[in-house]
Amino acid sequence: MLPVMFKNSWFPTVFDSLFDTDVMPATHRTSPAVNVKEDPNAYTMEVASPGLKKDYCRVTINDEGNLCVAIENKFEHKEEDKKEHYLRREFAYTNYQQVYALPDDVDKNAIAAHVEDGILTITLPKVKKEEVKVSRHIEIA
């Protein structure tokens, strides 16, 4: 028998690493993925969180004028079947809160948000800049 076939602490087997949660300890603590798009009229943020409902979300503007996005864990945890147990568990429903600094050209009074198919979409309209045409008579001295 080859020496590598023995189980020891310095050479884990393939099957040990398959179910080992120490290899990726922070997978259950990740924040939702966020996309940000821009077009001439607005910025659009998309926050992806499977199973997300609008009751779980809170979008506010704080005193400093920053956008605050919070997703609260309101998922019901079911009683587990005692006949089976998880070898690996990566589904995580944790609270999430993030503060985003907004660009100067965002109309903070017109921000809108909605949830559809597990995606929180926040629309940040841009301030309409009116081009002021200045016409006047200039006297010649």
PDB file of all heavy atoms in Angstrom, residues 48-71:
ATOM      1  N   ALA A  48     -29.611  41.056  -5.412  1.00  0.00           N
ATOM      2  CA  ALA A  48     -30.138  39.699  -5.577  1.00  0.00           C
ATOM      3  C   ALA A  48     -30.111  38.954  -4.246  1.00  0.00           C
ATOM      4  O   ALA A  48     -29.083  38.881  -3.584  1.00  0.00           O
ATOM      5  CB  ALA A  48     -29.318  38.936  -6.607  1.00  0.00           C
ATOM      6  N   SER A  49     -31.266  38.426  -3.873  1.00  0.00           N
ATOM      7  CA  SER A  49     -31.376  37.630  -2.654  1.00  0.00           C
ATOM      8  C   SER A  49     -32.522  36.639  -2.842  1.00  0.00           C
ATOM      9  O   SER A  49     -33.700  37.039  -2.807  1.00  0.00           O
ATOM     10  CB  SER A  49     -31.636  38.543  -1.453  1.00  0.00           C
ATOM     11  OG  SER A  49     -31.653  37.798  -0.271  1.00  0.00           O
ATOM     12  N   PRO A  50     -32.227  35.353  -3.058  1.00  0.00           N
ATOM     13  CA  PRO A  50     -33.282  34.363  -3.307  1.00  0.00           C
ATOM     14  C   PRO A  50     -34.317  34.333  -2.182  1.00  0.00           C
ATOM     15  O   PRO A  50     -33.968  34.405  -1.007  1.00  0.00           O
ATOM     16  CB  PRO A  50     -32.528  33.040  -3.372  1.00  0.00           C
ATOM     17  CG  PRO A  50     -31.134  33.417  -3.713  1.00  0.00           C
ATOM     18  CD  PRO A  50     -30.909  34.762  -3.089  1.00  0.00           C
ATOM     19  N   GLY A  51     -35.578  34.245  -2.551  1.00  0.00           N
ATOM     20  CA  GLY A  51     -36.657  34.195  -1.570  1.00  0.00           C
ATOM     21  C   GLY A  51     -37.025  35.545  -0.989  1.00  0.00           C
ATOM     22  O   GLY A  51     -37.832  35.641  -0.075  1.00  0.00           O
ATOM     23  N   LEU A  52     -36.458  36.599  -1.517  1.00  0.00           N
ATOM     24  CA  LEU A  52     -36.683  37.943  -0.999  1.00  0.00           C
ATOM     25  C   LEU A  52     -38.116  38.407  -1.254  1.00  0.00           C
ATOM     26  O   LEU A  52     -38.651  38.225  -2.343  1.00  0.00           O
ATOM     27  CB  LEU A  52     -35.699  38.908  -1.663  1.00  0.00           C
ATOM     28  CG  LEU A  52     -35.719  40.345  -1.204  1.00  0.00           C
ATOM     29  CD1 LEU A  52     -35.236  40.441   0.229  1.00  0.00           C
ATOM     30  CD2 LEU A  52     -34.828  41.183  -2.099  1.00  0.00           C
ATOM     31  N   LYS A  53     -38.728  38.980  -0.237  1.00  0.00           N
ATOM     32  CA  LYS A  53     -40.056  39.580  -0.351  1.00  0.00           C
ATOM     33  C   LYS A  53     -39.951  41.029   0.090  1.00  0.00           C
ATOM     34  O   LYS A  53     -39.034  41.407   0.820  1.00  0.00           O
ATOM     35  CB  LYS A  53     -41.053  38.836   0.527  1.00  0.00           C
ATOM     36  CG  LYS A  53     -41.255  37.401   0.095  1.00  0.00           C
ATOM     37  CD  LYS A  53     -42.241  36.694   0.985  1.00  0.00           C
ATOM     38  CE  LYS A  53     -42.370  35.250   0.550  1.00  0.00           C
ATOM     39  NZ  LYS A  53     -43.182  34.467   1.459  1.00  0.00           N
ATOM     40  N   LYS A  54     -40.908  41.848  -0.333  1.00  0.00           N
ATOM     41  CA  LYS A  54     -40.806  43.283  -0.016  1.00  0.00           C
ATOM     42  C   LYS A  54     -40.909  43.551   1.481  1.00  0.00           C
ATOM     43  O   LYS A  54     -40.376  44.544   1.956  1.00  0.00           O
ATOM     44  CB  LYS A  54     -41.820  44.094  -0.805  1.00  0.00           C
ATOM     45  CG  LYS A  54     -43.208  44.102  -0.287  1.00  0.00           C
ATOM     46  CD  LYS A  54     -44.049  45.058  -1.114  1.00  0.00           C
ATOM     47  CE  LYS A  54     -45.309  45.387  -0.377  1.00  0.00           C
ATOM     48  NZ  LYS A  54     -46.108  46.386  -1.053  1.00  0.00           N
ATOM     49  N   ASP A  55     -41.544  42.660   2.236  1.00  0.00           N
ATOM     50  CA  ASP A  55     -41.645  42.849   3.686  1.00  0.00           C
ATOM     51  C   ASP A  55     -40.292  42.729   4.381  1.00  0.00           C
ATOM     52  O   ASP A  55     -40.125  43.192   5.503  1.00  0.00           O
ATOM     53  CB  ASP A  55     -42.598  41.814   4.286  1.00  0.00           C
ATOM     54  CG  ASP A  55     -44.009  41.968   3.757  1.00  0.00           C
ATOM     55  OD1 ASP A  55     -44.338  43.066   3.254  1.00  0.00           O
ATOM     56  OD2 ASP A  55     -44.782  40.994   3.827  1.00  0.00           O
ATOM     57  N   TYR A  56     -39.322  42.096   3.724  1.00  0.00           N
ATOM     58  CA  TYR A  56     -38.000  41.885   4.310  1.00  0.00           C
ATOM     59  C   TYR A  56     -37.055  43.064   4.073  1.00  0.00           C
ATOM     60  O   TYR A  56     -35.974  43.109   4.633  1.00  0.00           O
ATOM     61  CB  TYR A  56     -37.335  40.645   3.724  1.00  0.00           C
ATOM     62  CG  TYR A  56     -38.099  39.348   3.858  1.00  0.00           C
ATOM     63  CD1 TYR A  56     -37.743  38.250   3.099  1.00  0.00           C
ATOM     64  CD2 TYR A  56     -39.167  39.206   4.726  1.00  0.00           C
ATOM     65  CE1 TYR A  56     -38.420  37.047   3.205  1.00  0.00           C
ATOM     66  CE2 TYR A  56     -39.856  38.027   4.831  1.00  0.00           C
ATOM     67  CZ  TYR A  56     -39.481  36.946   4.073  1.00  0.00           C
ATOM     68  OH  TYR A  56     -40.148  35.766   4.178  1.00  0.00           O
ATOM     69  N   CYS A  57     -37.439  44.003   3.209  1.00  0.00           N
ATOM     70  CA  CYS A  57     -36.538  45.073   2.754  1.00  0.00           C
ATOM     71  C   CYS A  57     -36.856  46.412   3.399  1.00  0.00           C
ATOM     72  O   CYS A  57     -38.004  46.727   3.683  1.00  0.00           O
ATOM     73  CB  CYS A  57     -36.651  45.244   1.244  1.00  0.00           C
ATOM     74  SG  CYS A  57     -36.314  43.764   0.331  1.00  0.00           S
ATOM     75  N   ARG A  58     -35.813  47.198   3.564  1.00  0.00           N
ATOM     76  CA  ARG A  58     -35.961  48.576   4.028  1.00  0.00           C
ATOM     77  C   ARG A  58     -34.935  49.422   3.263  1.00  0.00           C
ATOM     78  O   ARG A  58     -33.741  49.141   3.293  1.00  0.00           O
ATOM     79  CB  ARG A  58     -35.718  48.653   5.533  1.00  0.00           C
ATOM     80  CG  ARG A  58     -36.059  50.000   6.122  1.00  0.00           C
ATOM     81  CD  ARG A  58     -35.922  50.021   7.637  1.00  0.00           C
ATOM     82  NE  ARG A  58     -34.525  49.902   8.035  1.00  0.00           N
ATOM     83  CZ  ARG A  58     -34.015  48.882   8.732  1.00  0.00           C
ATOM     84  NH1 ARG A  58     -34.770  47.897   9.099  1.00  0.00           N
ATOM     85  NH2 ARG A  58     -32.738  48.851   9.037  1.00  0.00           N
ATOM     86  N   VAL A  59     -35.420  50.433   2.572  1.00  0.00           N
ATOM     87  CA  VAL A  59     -34.564  51.343   1.817  1.00  0.00           C
ATOM     88  C   VAL A  59     -34.840  52.749   2.332  1.00  0.00           C
ATOM     89  O   VAL A  59     -35.979  53.205   2.317  1.00  0.00           O
ATOM     90  CB  VAL A  59     -34.846  51.253   0.293  1.00  0.00           C
ATOM     91  CG1 VAL A  59     -33.962  52.225  -0.473  1.00  0.00           C
ATOM     92  CG2 VAL A  59     -34.649  49.834  -0.213  1.00  0.00           C
ATOM     93  N   THR A  60     -33.801  53.432   2.803  1.00  0.00           N
ATOM     94  CA  THR A  60     -33.957  54.769   3.379  1.00  0.00           C
ATOM     95  C   THR A  60     -32.802  55.672   2.949  1.00  0.00           C
ATOM     96  O   THR A  60     -31.788  55.199   2.449  1.00  0.00           O
ATOM     97  CB  THR A  60     -33.982  54.718   4.929  1.00  0.00           C
ATOM     98  OG1 THR A  60     -32.763  54.119   5.396  1.00  0.00           O
ATOM     99  CG2 THR A  60     -35.155  53.921   5.448  1.00  0.00           C
ATOM    100  N   ILE A  61     -32.988  56.963   3.173  1.00  0.00           N
ATOM    101  CA  ILE A  61     -31.917  57.946   3.015  1.00  0.00           C
ATOM    102  C   ILE A  61     -31.592  58.438   4.429  1.00  0.00           C
ATOM    103  O   ILE A  61     -32.485  58.878   5.157  1.00  0.00           O
ATOM    104  CB  ILE A  61     -32.367  59.142   2.147  1.00  0.00           C
ATOM    105  CG1 ILE A  61     -32.792  58.693   0.751  1.00  0.00           C
ATOM    106  CG2 ILE A  61     -31.268  60.195   2.068  1.00  0.00           C
ATOM    107  CD1 ILE A  61     -31.671  58.251  -0.146  1.00  0.00           C
ATOM    108  N   ASN A  62     -30.328  58.352   4.834  1.00  0.00           N
ATOM    109  CA  ASN A  62     -29.962  58.763   6.190  1.00  0.00           C
ATOM    110  C   ASN A  62     -29.707  60.268   6.262  1.00  0.00           C
ATOM    111  O   ASN A  62     -29.837  60.984   5.266  1.00  0.00           O
ATOM    112  CB  ASN A  62     -28.781  57.941   6.717  1.00  0.00           C
ATOM    113  CG  ASN A  62     -27.483  58.202   5.970  1.00  0.00           C
ATOM    114  OD1 ASN A  62     -27.365  59.137   5.187  1.00  0.00           O
ATOM    115  ND2 ASN A  62     -26.490  57.367   6.217  1.00  0.00           N
ATOM    116  N   ASP A  63     -29.338  60.761   7.449  1.00  0.00           N
ATOM    117  CA  ASP A  63     -29.127  62.195   7.675  1.00  0.00           C
ATOM    118  C   ASP A  63     -28.006  62.782   6.818  1.00  0.00           C
ATOM    119  O   ASP A  63     -28.012  63.968   6.513  1.00  0.00           O
ATOM    120  CB  ASP A  63     -28.816  62.462   9.153  1.00  0.00           C
ATOM    121  CG  ASP A  63     -30.001  62.155  10.039  1.00  0.00           C
ATOM    122  OD1 ASP A  63     -31.141  62.160   9.531  1.00  0.00           O
ATOM    123  OD2 ASP A  63     -29.800  61.900  11.250  1.00  0.00           O
ATOM    124  N   GLU A  64     -27.034  61.957   6.448  1.00  0.00           N
ATOM    125  CA  GLU A  64     -25.929  62.420   5.613  1.00  0.00           C
ATOM    126  C   GLU A  64     -26.268  62.386   4.123  1.00  0.00           C
ATOM    127  O   GLU A  64     -25.438  62.731   3.289  1.00  0.00           O
ATOM    128  CB  GLU A  64     -24.674  61.571   5.861  1.00  0.00           C
ATOM    129  CG  GLU A  64     -24.037  61.784   7.227  1.00  0.00           C
ATOM    130  CD  GLU A  64     -24.705  60.957   8.312  1.00  0.00           C
ATOM    131  OE1 GLU A  64     -25.194  59.849   8.016  1.00  0.00           O
ATOM    132  OE2 GLU A  64     -24.749  61.429   9.459  1.00  0.00           O
ATOM    133  N   GLY A  65     -27.467  61.914   3.767  1.00  0.00           N
ATOM    134  CA  GLY A  65     -27.879  61.840   2.379  1.00  0.00           C
ATOM    135  C   GLY A  65     -27.421  60.584   1.665  1.00  0.00           C
ATOM    136  O   GLY A  65     -27.425  60.524   0.442  1.00  0.00           O
ATOM    137  N   ASN A  66     -27.023  59.554   2.422  1.00  0.00           N
ATOM    138  CA  ASN A  66     -26.593  58.285   1.838  1.00  0.00           C
ATOM    139  C   ASN A  66     -27.761  57.311   1.761  1.00  0.00           C
ATOM    140  O   ASN A  66     -28.691  57.368   2.575  1.00  0.00           O
ATOM    141  CB  ASN A  66     -25.469  57.662   2.669  1.00  0.00           C
ATOM    142  CG  ASN A  66     -24.232  58.523   2.669  1.00  0.00           C
ATOM    143  OD1 ASN A  66     -23.888  59.136   1.670  1.00  0.00           O
ATOM    144  ND2 ASN A  66     -23.557  58.577   3.804  1.00  0.00           N
ATOM    145  N   LEU A  67     -27.695  56.397   0.819  1.00  0.00           N
ATOM    146  CA  LEU A  67     -28.728  55.375   0.643  1.00  0.00           C
ATOM    147  C   LEU A  67     -28.431  54.197   1.566  1.00  0.00           C
ATOM    148  O   LEU A  67     -27.337  53.641   1.540  1.00  0.00           O
ATOM    149  CB  LEU A  67     -28.747  54.898  -0.816  1.00  0.00           C
ATOM    150  CG  LEU A  67     -29.796  53.858  -1.171  1.00  0.00           C
ATOM    151  CD1 LEU A  67     -31.189  54.492  -1.186  1.00  0.00           C
ATOM    152  CD2 LEU A  67     -29.490  53.247  -2.527  1.00  0.00           C
ATOM    153  N   CYS A  68     -29.409  53.813   2.385  1.00  0.00           N
ATOM    154  CA  CYS A  68     -29.262  52.674   3.298  1.00  0.00           C
ATOM    155  C   CYS A  68     -30.175  51.549   2.817  1.00  0.00           C
ATOM    156  O   CYS A  68     -31.383  51.749   2.683  1.00  0.00           O
ATOM    157  CB  CYS A  68     -29.647  53.054   4.721  1.00  0.00           C
ATOM    158  SG  CYS A  68     -28.668  54.394   5.396  1.00  0.00           S
ATOM    159  N   VAL A  69     -29.597  50.383   2.566  1.00  0.00           N
ATOM    160  CA  VAL A  69     -30.352  49.217   2.126  1.00  0.00           C
ATOM    161  C   VAL A  69     -30.216  48.151   3.201  1.00  0.00           C
ATOM    162  O   VAL A  69     -29.100  47.787   3.581  1.00  0.00           O
ATOM    163  CB  VAL A  69     -29.827  48.677   0.777  1.00  0.00           C
ATOM    164  CG1 VAL A  69     -30.582  47.439   0.354  1.00  0.00           C
ATOM    165  CG2 VAL A  69     -29.904  49.745  -0.293  1.00  0.00           C
ATOM    166  N   ALA A  70     -31.354  47.661   3.705  1.00  0.00           N
ATOM    167  CA  ALA A  70     -31.345  46.621   4.731  1.00  0.00           C
ATOM    168  C   ALA A  70     -32.295  45.502   4.327  1.00  0.00           C
ATOM    169  O   ALA A  70     -33.396  45.756   3.845  1.00  0.00           O
ATOM    170  CB  ALA A  70     -31.766  47.200   6.084  1.00  0.00           C
ATOM    171  N   ILE A  71     -31.824  44.269   4.503  1.00  0.00           N
ATOM    172  CA  ILE A  71     -32.651  43.088   4.284  1.00  0.00           C
ATOM    173  C   ILE A  71     -32.641  42.324   5.601  1.00  0.00           C
ATOM    174  O   ILE A  71     -31.579  41.942   6.085  1.00  0.00           O
ATOM    175  CB  ILE A  71     -32.106  42.216   3.133  1.00  0.00           C
ATOM    176  CG1 ILE A  71     -32.100  43.024   1.834  1.00  0.00           C
ATOM    177  CG2 ILE A  71     -32.938  40.956   2.981  1.00  0.00           C
ATOM    178  CD1 ILE A  71     -31.426  42.327   0.667  1.00  0.00           C
TER     179      ILE A  71
END
